[in-house]
């Protein structure tokens, strides 16, 4: 019982800090660029790491910590130290499978299909490891908890549960297809660069001009689907995905007061809200970057929410 009480205290503390920190980080990130992707440092540095390898490493942390927490059920007096029923007929396990499916794509399939990715400052993967450790642990602990089992009892017969799952599926598919549009831009740039190298009569393109050119060719104006309306449909679809997951997995937090919110907000809602707080500034800055980089960039496009922002 002591172990469960300690786990509950740690869970509640992590949950509350996870509710507080992302909103505090949101305003500064409208000013300072996270040093990866199009905002990766232009000069070489020992603090820059491989973009694809670091992405795989930092994103794998979330499913690993999630599985560890989910299989140990740290908040359960009855099942503490053992796994919940590992069958899709058990609603928490069904939702756990959805969480792992997302990360199968995000941590393994997507980066392995990426032809190139800009280097990242080491600060970025280290920060992501911290975020994913906390988030994965909280999500796994919640879905294996008595509170989740109680809320999800009879979930398969509730329309709201399946509406949430439908939103999750639509968001996942939308995220993948819009990422594919960006990947095709990189594939074409890589193929174009390879053709130029082959026609250069064996000349090695390893000087500074070659590096700059190669980096610039990763970017072009994306078109198609929700890119007609917003610059970051992959972000928007990911928000839809985790909004749907939260609706399916847990009750709405109380908005009566800040104290009531902190006491009732569950990890699925924390994950959704933290994604909005942390990704919104980057979408806005990236949207401004597109307009600066491409003078003919469609002026009617919003940043990340169609017709709104």
């Amino acid at each position: 019982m002591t172990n469960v009480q300690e786990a509950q205290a740690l869970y509640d503390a992590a949950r509350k800090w996870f509710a507080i920190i992302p909103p505090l980080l949101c305003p500064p990130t409208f000013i300072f660029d996270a040093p990866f992707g199009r905002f990766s440092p232009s000069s070489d540095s020992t603090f820059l790491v491989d973009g694809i390898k670091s992405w795989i490493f930092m994103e794998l942390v979330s499913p690993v910590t999630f599985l560890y927490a989910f299989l140990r059920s740290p908040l359960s007096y009855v099942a503490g130290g053992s796994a919940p029923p590992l069958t899709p007929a058990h609603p928490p396990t069904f939702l756990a499978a959805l969480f792992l499916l997302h990360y199968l794509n995000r941590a393994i399939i997507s980066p392995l299909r990426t032809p190139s990715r800009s280097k990242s400052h080491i600060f970025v993967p280290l920060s992501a490891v911290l975020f994913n450790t906390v988030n994965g642990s909280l999500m796994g602990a919640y879905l294996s908890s008595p509170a989740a089992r109680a809320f999800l009892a009879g979930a398969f017969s509730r329309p709201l549960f399946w509406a949430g799952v439908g939103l999750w599926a639509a968001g996942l598919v939308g995220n993948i297809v819009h990422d594919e549009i960006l990947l095709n831009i990189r594939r074409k740039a890589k193929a174009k660069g390879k053709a130029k190298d082959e026609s250069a009569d064996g000349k090695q393109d390893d000087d500074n001009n070659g590096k700059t050119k190669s980096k610039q060719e990763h970017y072009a104006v994306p078109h198609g689907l929700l890119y007609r309306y917003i610059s970051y449909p992959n972000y928007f679809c990911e928000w839809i995905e985790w909004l749907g997951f939260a609706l399916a997995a847990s009750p709405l937090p109380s908005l009566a007061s800040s104290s009531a919110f902190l006491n009732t907000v569950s990890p699925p809602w924390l994950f959704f809200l933290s994604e909005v707080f942390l990704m919104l500034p980057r979408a806005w800055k990236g949207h401004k970057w597109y307009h600066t980089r491409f003078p003919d960039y469609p002026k009617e496009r919003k940043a990340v929410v169609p017709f709104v922002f």
Side-chain angles (χ1 to χ4, degrees):
M1 182 175 294
T2 301
N3 288 340
V4 174
Q5 290 173 337
E6 292 175 351
Q8 185 70 53
L10 181 60
Y11 170 84
D12 287 337
R15 187 173 52 79
K16 289 178 181 178
W17 280 110
F18 209 49
I20 294 171
I21 293 177
L24 295 179
L25 291 177
C26 182
T29 50
F30 274 101
I31 302 172
F32 301 103
D33 296 324
F36 71 100
R38 59 179 50 84
F39 300 118
S40 180
S42 56
S43 57
D44 200 11
S45 168
T46 56
F47 294 104
L48 293 180
V49 294
D50 182 90
I52 294 178
K53 292 177 182 177
S54 62
W55 181 273
I56 293 173
F57 171 73
M58 70 189 195
E59 293 299 335
L60 278 176
V61 170
S62 190
V64 169
T65 54
F66 173 86
L67 275 174
Y68 178 81
F70 183 74
L71 295 177
R72 289 184 61 83
S73 305
L75 304 180
S76 175
Y77 287 105
V78 175
S82 61
L86 299 180
T87 168
H90 183 58
T93 302
F94 176 83
L95 291 171
L98 300 188
F99 184 90
L100 294 173
L101 180 60
H102 168 87
Y103 277 97
L104 174 64
N105 174 70
R106 183 175 178 85
I108 299 177
I109 296 174
S110 178
L112 291 180
R113 297 182 66 248
T114 300
S116 62
R117 187 184 289 270
S118 299
K119 289 185 176 183
S120 297
H121 192 281
I122 188 65
F123 172 78
V124 173
L126 291 180
S127 300
V129 165
L130 177 60
F131 176 92
N132 286 330
T133 299
V134 176
N135 184 61
S137 300
L138 285 175
M139 293 284 279
Y142 168 76
L143 283 178
S144 62
S145 70
R149 286 198 300 273
F151 176 77
L152 292 168
F156 290 156
S157 63
R158 295 202 298 261
L160 182 60
F161 175 85
W162 290 111
V165 171
L167 277 178
W168 175 89
L172 176 66
V173 172
N175 183 268
I176 291 172
V177 298
H178 289 98
D179 271 348
E180 189 67 19
I181 292 174
L182 297 179
L183 291 180
N184 283 334
I185 290 175
R186 294 183 183 182
R187 293 186 187 111
K188 291 176 182 178
K190 187 174 183 180
K192 183 179 178 182
K194 184 177 180 181
K196 286 184 178 180
D197 286 344
E198 291 174 349
S199 65
D201 198 25
K203 181 181 178 181
Q204 295 294 320
D205 188 18
D206 60 355
D207 55 18
N208 289 335
N209 290 334
K211 288 183 180 179
T212 302
K213 188 173 186 179
S214 175
K215 183 175 180 180
Q216 290 176 343
E217 284 180 344
H218 288 328
Y219 301 106
V221 179
H223 294 281
L225 302 176
L226 289 179
Y227 279 111
R228 179 180 178 183
Y229 305 104
I230 51 178
S231 297
Y232 283 83
N234 47 343
Y235 285 19
F236 177 71
C237 289
E238 188 161 339
W239 296 349
I240 294 297
E241 181 183 0
W242 293 115
L243 172 62
F245 190 93
L247 286 170
S250 59
L252 285 166
S254 172
L255 300 178
S257 66
S258 58
S259 177
F261 176 82
L262 290 175
N263 287 328
T264 58
V265 65
S266 60
W269 286 104
L270 288 174
F271 189 20
F272 164 66
L273 293 172
S274 66
E275 289 227 320
V276 174
F277 282 123
L278 297 176
M279 295 165 70
L280 184 66
R282 186 168 180 85
W284 181 79
K285 297 205 74 174
H287 179 69
K288 305 292 283 186
W289 179 91
Y290 271 122
H291 280 280
T292 302
R293 180 69 176 273
F294 302 102
D296 59 343
Y297 193 75
K299 298 186 184 304
E300 67 276 8
R301 283 189 195 179
K302 299 297 183 180
V304 69
V305 180
F307 313 112
V308 177
F309 179 84

